[in-house]
Amino acid sequence: MAKSRNNLLGVGGQRKKLSRAEQQGAGSARGADRKAAEDKKQELVRKMRERAEAQAATTAAAEPGEQDASPAQS
């Protein structure tokens, strides 16, 4: 690395070597794998949100009955 702070020559990471297919724009299997992994993640997040909403709905349905009983006891 250069001594001078103003000269950032040599700073940064290494670039990935591109295959001939990638250079020509054909892409790689790695990109497809990333897409599949992202799709799986999105599906998992969607399922978790649905479960959380269902749990919140059942909890909210149970709470109003308990809240009505509380002021009557006071």
Side-chain angles (χ1 to χ4, degrees):
M1 196 159 110
K3 275 188 167 182
S4 169
R5 298 268 175 181
N6 296 333
N7 183 5
L8 297 177
L9 182 66
V11 175
Q14 295 180 350
R15 293 184 181 179
K16 179 182 167 288
K17 301 283 190 216
L18 296 176
S19 68
R20 286 186 182 210
E22 289 172 328
Q23 288 174 357
Q24 294 172 357
S28 67
R30 193 174 116 184
D33 291 342
R34 285 186 179 175
K35 178 77 170 135
E38 183 66 25
D39 291 343
K40 286 181 185 177
K41 182 180 175 183
Q42 292 296 327
E43 182 67 19
L44 180 62
V45 168
R46 184 187 62 80
K47 286 181 182 178
M48 290 175 67
R49 282 190 182 138
E50 286 177 358
R51 287 181 188 157
E53 288 172 1
Q55 213 171 26
T58 57
T59 304
E63 285 180 3
E66 293 174 5
Q67 289 175 355
D68 291 339
S70 298
Q73 293 174 354
S74 300

